Amino acid sequence: MKVKNICCIGAGYVGGPTMAVIAQKCPQIKVTVVDLNENRIAAWNHLDVNKIPIYEPNLSEIVAEARGRNLFFSTEVEKAIEEAEMIFISVNTPTKTYGVGKGMAADLKYIELCARQIARVAKNDKIVVEKSTLPVRTARAIKDILDNNGNGVQFQILSNPEFLAEGTAIQDLISPDRVLIGGDSTSEGQNAIQQLVAIYANWVPNDKILTTNVWSSELSKLTANAFLAQRVSSINAMSELCEKTGADVKEVAKAIGLDSRIGPKFLNASVGFGGSCFQKDILNLVYIAKSYGLNQVAEYWEQVVIMNDHQKHRFSKNIIKTLYDTVSGKKIAFLGWAFKKDTNDTRESAAIYVADDLLCEQAIISVFDPKVGLEQIQFDLNYLETRTESKNIEAVELANNPYEACNNAHAIAVLTEWDEFKTYDWQKIYDSMLKPAFVFDGRNLLEREVLEKIGFVYQAIGS
Ligand SMILES: NC(=O)c1ccc[n+]([C@@H]2O[C@H](COP(=O)([O-])OP(=O)(O)OC[C@H]3O[C@@H](n4cnc5c(N)ncnc54)[C@H](O)[C@@H]3O)[C@@H](O)[C@H]2O)c1
């Protein structure tokens, strides 16, 4: 069997960009991305390619090239499943909000629904690829469902976790550090692995395509995210100690990063990590460890999330304390709402939690983010259910530009490391603010010396 038709279930931050790149690199393969969310599919099909639902540098160009040629976005899930020889499952796997494992385990209901739908619809043999991040041994459950509900057709399950980072998704997909494919050791399993290897081999060098057993592949993804998040929490823990001791966390990070065993990446102290993955995947790891009775392992990793929460609240507490112990009725400008630069994704963004803390103290928040709109901001705050929707509308506004956000503000909080923030006319911003004018740089992005020379009271994380 040679794969000519691919279907991807889930047109989100992973499914959309990943399939766009596969379609671009494999023009001989028809790639159909399906989703239940009609609005999302309509946005992917928007005539103006700049209006597709996900912002990532260079994504719209790739979609423009491949869409309508061999890349299609559709809500006809069953038709796409039926046509495809290979089906990627790229649906969301959020933290459970109910029942056993609430607040920790991954909610696998969307995965199971996909498996049951594939089983029902499939009329010929298929390779099912787990693209979503899943607890180790999920492939077993998928296989059980497929084998017990299918029409007698053969399914092979592969694990092919996605390592892209939002903001650099296209670059990561085009030149990945590695592609990981896990499959069964049987000859059918090995054959399925080779079919997927053949797809990636269209643009990824062979020595970067790693094949393993399914369980190693599933667990590697959780492990990678746990290690990355742990590094952020480690430098953030040191940032608090730096503030107490007169050390400067940037200098410490540079000094340790030059050690080739440590390396310089992911050592920027900040208000904390956000995004849909790190926290959810670590909590899932903690839950898995606990379910095997490995309590020390669980507690070790849980601390990474505890430290991250502490860092966010510490940041907002510091703003309140510095503004003379009250922000009631004070305008605080937020520069950035996305969880990191170069994305419009706001899931678990530190900005949400800092805003929530400040709103509890009756602050007024004016947000400017180059890619995030008011509807999303209000959605994020309402989701916390800390106060009524009308209170959130009253207390949070969206500014059209940074100058409007900062005009008459008491303080600025930098919550996302967008490059353009460095290029603003900071003198003009200073002149328009109430004095003393404070900058709380949650991303260690701006130049202390420049801002202090203008007259700002400037506070970075960890110095
Ligand atoms: N976002 C990231 O940076 C990233 C990176 C690596 C891995 N992952 C993992 O990839 C998976 C997807 O993440 P995402 O950020 O793309 O999520 P997302 O929420 O952006 O997208 C998931 C999509 O799946 C759709 N969906 C859910 N059930 C469906 C069904 N039965 N049929 C059709 N469509 C359905 C939803 O409507 C949604 O549009 C998660 O497991 C995540 O952990 C995410």
Side-chain angles (χ1 to χ4, degrees):
M1 175 176 78
K2 200 161 170 40
V3 175
K4 294 199 195 74
N5 274 290
I6 285 178
C7 156
C8 174
I9 308 180
Y13 282 85
V14 169
T18 309
M19 292 303 129
V21 169
I22 291 183
Q24 187 204 31
K25 300 293 184 185
C26 311
Q28 72 282 13
I29 299 177
K30 180 180 173 191
V31 179
T32 308
V33 191
V34 292
D35 205 295
L36 297 172
N37 183 333
E38 288 176 10
N39 292 337
R40 211 165 203 183
I41 291 297
W44 278 112
N45 284 323
H46 203 289
L47 282 179
D48 178 354
V49 85
N50 292 313
K51 300 244 165 73
I52 57 176
I54 287 168
Y55 173 73
E56 278 289 339
N58 300 324
L59 173 61
S60 55
E61 288 85 342
I62 293 177
V63 171
E65 181 188 332
R67 198 177 58 184
R69 178 188 72 189
N70 65 326
L71 175 65
F72 301 92
F73 294 93
S74 163
T75 50
E76 291 185 87
V77 182
E78 301 204 341
K79 179 164 177 268
I81 291 174
E82 210 179 318
E83 277 178 11
E85 294 97 25
M86 184 177 274
I87 301 164
F88 288 77
I89 302 184
S90 193
V91 301
N92 35 330
T93 48
T95 304
K96 262 186 101 177
T97 52
Y98 55 88
V100 177
K102 178 180 174 181
M104 281 219 159
D107 191 342
L108 297 179
K109 72 176 170 203
Y110 305 106
I111 296 288
E112 180 165 342
L113 283 171
C114 287
R116 288 187 185 278
Q117 191 169 24
I118 294 169
R120 204 175 57 245
V121 172
K123 296 202 182 66
N124 49 15
D125 295 356
K126 310 230 180 257
I127 299 171
V128 176
V129 184
E130 300 174 346
K131 189 46 110 176
S132 299
T133 304
L134 295 171
V136 56
R137 300 201 75 83
T138 305
R140 178 77 259 158
I142 296 181
K143 184 142 185 58
D144 272 356
I145 291 167
L146 289 173
D147 288 348
N148 286 300
N149 295 280
N151 306 311
V153 302
Q154 295 296 310
F155 294 102
Q156 280 302 318
I157 321 292
L158 299 178
S159 160
N160 172 221
E162 186 46 63
F163 292 101
L164 67 79
E166 287 178 32
T168 53
I170 297 304
Q171 194 189 316
D172 296 343
L173 286 163
I174 290 179
S175 328
D177 288 344
R178 77 315 207 176
V179 166
L180 180 58
I181 302 173
D184 275 357
S185 56
T186 57
S187 66
E188 293 86 352
Q190 292 301 306
N191 180 39
I193 289 180
Q194 287 316 316
Q195 303 265 10
L196 186 51
V197 167
I199 290 171
Y200 283 110
N202 281 293
W203 77 97
V204 179
N206 265 326
D207 60 350
K208 294 204 166 173
I209 305 178
L210 198 66
T211 59
T212 64
N213 77 33
V214 189
W215 319 128
S216 305
S217 173
E218 286 180 340
L219 189 56
S220 296
K221 174 62 192 175
L222 292 183
T223 310
N225 273 359
F227 269 59
L228 290 168
Q230 178 202 40
R231 242 173 115 88
V232 177
S233 279
S234 296
I235 197 70
N236 283 346
M238 299 320 292
S239 74
E240 193 169 8
L241 196 55
C242 286
E243 287 166 25
K244 297 286 180 217
T245 56
D248 181 333
V249 76
K250 280 192 187 165
E251 293 178 349
V252 173
K254 186 164 183 198
I256 64 165
L258 287 170
D259 186 325
S260 59
R261 293 167 301 176
I262 297 174
K265 291 185 180 166
F266 251 67
L267 281 181
N268 195 23
S270 72
V271 58
F273 58 76
S276 64
C277 292
F278 282 178
Q279 173 165 314
K280 142 179 109 60
D281 292 348
I282 292 181
L283 291 175
N284 183 10
L285 192 65
V286 169
Y287 183 75
I288 293 168
K290 276 190 185 159
S291 67
Y292 285 108
L294 307 178
N295 292 332
Q296 287 80 359
V297 177
E299 280 166 28
Y300 175 77
W301 286 110
E302 193 169 14
Q303 204 57 36
V304 172
V305 174
I306 293 172
M307 186 66 223
N308 195 52
D309 283 339
H310 169 70
Q311 191 76 346
K312 289 182 273 191
H313 294 305
R314 189 168 87 74
F315 184 75
S316 28
K317 274 189 200 149
N318 183 44
I319 295 178
I320 298 159
K321 183 165 157 271
T322 308
L323 295 184
Y324 316 109
D325 284 314
T326 176
V327 290
S328 179
K330 290 181 180 170
K331 177 177 172 182
I332 316 284
F334 269 39
L335 293 185
W337 190 266
F339 85 93
K340 65 191 287 201
K341 73 172 177 179
D342 292 337
T343 178
N344 60 347
D345 193 353
T346 66
R347 291 176 289 181
E348 291 298 326
S349 177
I352 302 169
Y353 297 93
V354 174
D356 191 52
D357 285 347
L358 298 179
L359 291 171
C360 286
E361 295 289 328
Q362 301 181 344
I364 293 157
I365 295 177
S366 182
V367 184
F368 174 72
D369 186 291
K371 293 288 172 195
V372 183
L374 187 58
E375 204 181 320
Q376 184 63 46
I377 294 169
Q378 293 292 352
F379 173 87
D380 292 337
L381 289 169
N382 293 337
Y383 191 76
L384 297 181
E385 295 184 346
T386 313
R387 64 196 68 72
T388 61
E389 295 188 9
S390 58
K391 279 263 181 260
N392 283 331
I393 291 172
E394 231 172 74
V396 182
E397 62 175 34
L398 183 75
N400 291 315
N401 58 59
Y403 303 100
E404 194 181 302
C406 300
N407 187 35
N408 275 326
H410 289 257
I412 297 169
V414 180
L415 274 314
T416 313
E417 69 281 20
W418 285 102
D419 288 330
E420 67 170 68
F421 295 170
K422 291 188 267 191
T423 66
Y424 293 162
D425 183 342
W426 283 95
Q427 182 68 55
K428 182 172 163 190
I429 288 177
Y430 178 79
D431 291 343
S432 75
M433 288 177 65
L434 299 175
K435 308 295 176 323
F438 295 88
V439 175
F440 299 93
D441 191 347
R443 296 285 163 192
N444 281 348
L445 179 76
L446 305 172
E447 293 289 334
R448 173 187 290 275
E449 274 181 21
V450 175
L451 293 192
E452 285 185 344
K453 207 163 159 209
I454 291 172
F456 282 104
V457 181
Y458 175 82
Q459 288 191 15
I461 299 262
S463 58

